[in-house]
Amino acid sequence: METYTIYDLARDCGVSVATISRVINGSAAVSAKTREKVQQAIKAHNFTPNAFARGMNKMSTSIIAVFISDIANPFFADTVKGIEEACRKYDYRIILCITNNDMEQERRELELMEQKQVDGFIICGSRPVNDTNANYLREVSARHPVIMVNSRIDGGEKLYSVLVDEKKAAKEALCTLLSQGRYKRLYVFGDRVWQATLQKIAAAEEAAQRYNLPFDSSCIFECPQTLASGTLAAEHFLQTKPVQPCLVFCVSDQIAIGVLKTFCEQQLSIPEQFAILGFSDLTLCSLVTPALTTVNQHMKSLGEQAANLFISCQNGVVLEQKVIYAEYALVERETT
């Protein structure tokens, strides 16, 4: 007979695993109706939350170290906000660690935070292609929960990922726009040191093939993920005399807004000559003129899911699903 798991309990009650965790742990952040339904299901299925009991007996500082690579990147503001709000419900606090895209600095911070006896780690953002800390994070996950947000490292005992399938999301968005038949060429702006950028380039190549558009290395413009870099890359791009009308896919909104700024200063026609697609849906995307078309990653929700996953893991829940894919949506605005 198969074991009745917490996932089965959550499914049968129509709630999340985090809600089951709150009921078992006596949290007040659950309605009376939901609490009663869960308790009845626990009794009916003779569900014994031994894993939670073990977790409650462990020493805990109720502090999570949250790692971000760049404090100036607006992507992390919404993600950290989601983490902090979810943690507060469980009386957890966070320590914010900034790595500045430096793997050695990340390693030093990981070691320091472990010495300070934090309960575990939430690591936000894409990972570099040459991820020198991947094995170390697997080792750490044998001692503490490690939740990756918007990236993925396979293996590890308590190593989990909450992320958008960026290749799938990018390909769907590109195919939706290219299906209109208005564009003669597709270009990509991004930094190939990041795994997520390579995924988006692969998506662009597949989308271009589907709609019989030429696509090779000349269609890719190297560009770090900052507004200033997007501006410089756009200037270089225009010097190459790109084929028009075209779709310019920027792997981040920051790059896209920099590109948009340059195009507008050159008084180019958007989207008639140059359509622009970003990725993430930062708040600024709806405020610039023309408003930027982009893919909404629901960053705050990613943070909330990561925090809830951490709490469940810290409470002793053995989660079979190591990778959780989050929702996304194409938001069409004035640049396409």
Side-chain angles (χ1 to χ4, degrees):
M1 182 177 178
E2 293 185 359
T3 302
Y4 189 80
T5 69
I6 193 170
Y7 292 101
D8 298 323
L9 184 62
R11 181 200 62 216
D12 292 343
C13 293
V15 299
S16 67
V17 171
T19 298
I20 301 295
S21 171
R22 294 189 194 105
V23 172
I24 292 173
N25 290 327
S27 171
V30 181
S31 70
K33 182 178 180 180
T34 298
R35 185 183 305 279
E36 182 179 359
K37 178 169 64 175
V38 172
Q39 289 173 339
Q40 288 179 352
I42 288 173
K43 184 177 180 180
H45 293 280
N46 196 27
F47 178 76
T48 305
N50 293 328
F52 282 88
R54 289 194 298 270
M56 293 298 289
N57 289 330
K58 293 170 60 178
M59 294 297 292
S60 171
T61 61
S62 297
I63 297 174
I64 305 170
V66 176
F67 280 58
I68 64 173
S69 57
D70 182 4
I71 198 169
N73 188 336
F75 173 89
F76 295 113
D78 285 340
T79 307
V80 172
K81 184 177 182 181
I83 293 171
E84 195 278 330
E85 288 183 1
C87 285
R88 197 185 314 135
K89 296 176 183 177
Y90 298 101
D91 293 324
Y92 267 75
R93 296 296 179 264
I94 68 172
I95 295 177
L96 193 61
C97 303
I98 317 299
T99 65
N100 296 311
N101 295 319
D102 185 328
M103 288 290 101
E104 292 184 4
Q105 183 172 337
E106 180 184 74
R107 175 66 176 265
R108 289 193 298 269
E109 292 291 330
L110 285 165
E111 293 172 346
L112 177 62
M113 289 299 106
E114 195 165 18
Q115 290 172 11
K116 291 184 178 295
Q117 298 183 330
V118 298
D119 283 354
F121 304 90
I122 297 179
I123 315 290
C124 304
S126 180
R127 306 298 293 177
V129 173
N130 181 25
D131 188 348
T132 56
N133 288 336
N135 284 333
Y136 182 68
L137 286 168
R138 293 186 183 101
E139 293 174 11
V140 171
S141 74
R143 302 184 291 272
H144 310 282
V146 178
I147 313 298
M148 312 298 297
V149 179
N150 218 46
S151 62
R152 174 176 177 174
I153 297 176
D154 293 325
E157 184 177 338
K158 292 178 284 187
L159 181 58
Y160 301 92
S161 299
V162 178
L163 72 162
V164 165
D165 186 334
E166 297 197 41
K167 180 180 178 183
K168 181 180 178 183
K171 184 175 179 179
E172 288 181 3
L174 289 168
C175 287
T176 296
L177 298 174
L178 293 177
S179 66
Q180 300 169 7
R182 296 193 292 116
Y183 308 111
K184 295 181 179 179
R185 194 69 59 90
L186 171 63
Y187 299 97
V188 178
F189 284 45
D191 191 345
R192 282 177 280 191
V193 304
W194 301 105
Q195 296 176 15
T197 298
L198 296 185
Q199 293 170 7
K200 291 168 186 171
I201 290 173
E205 184 175 13
E206 292 177 11
Q209 289 175 350
R210 177 178 294 186
Y211 293 97
N212 298 315
L213 297 179
F215 190 87
D216 54 30
S217 59
S218 67
C219 299
I220 303 169
F221 288 79
E222 199 72 23
C223 179
Q225 297 190 36
T226 65
L227 189 151
S229 297
T231 299
L232 293 174
E235 292 173 355
H236 171 64
F237 170 72
L238 294 175
Q239 292 171 2
T240 67
K241 301 187 185 304
V243 176
Q244 304 173 34
C246 62
L247 174 60
V248 176
F249 173 37
C250 302
V251 302
S252 76
D253 288 339
Q254 288 181 288
I255 295 174
I257 292 170
V259 170
L260 177 61
K261 178 177 181 293
T262 299
F263 287 0
C264 289
E265 289 174 348
Q266 295 295 322
Q267 298 184 333
L268 301 175
S269 179
I270 302 170
E272 289 76 18
Q273 291 176 279
F274 298 93
I276 306 172
L277 171 65
F279 204 98
S280 283
D281 198 21
L282 304 177
T283 301
L284 192 58
C285 294
S286 61
L287 302 178
V288 294
T289 303
L292 180 66
T293 293
T294 185
V295 175
N296 188 342
Q297 287 182 275
H298 305 292
M299 289 87 73
K300 184 179 177 183
S301 177
L302 283 176
E304 292 171 346
Q305 291 180 68
N308 287 331
L309 183 59
F310 183 99
I311 301 298
S312 293
C313 190
Q314 178 65 8
N315 281 337
V317 179
V318 178
L319 304 170
E320 297 177 4
Q321 186 178 356
K322 290 294 187 77
V323 180
I324 298 174
Y325 286 106
E327 296 180 352
Y328 55 86
L330 173 63
V331 182
E332 294 191 63
R333 299 191 179 101
E334 297 167 343
T335 59
T336 51

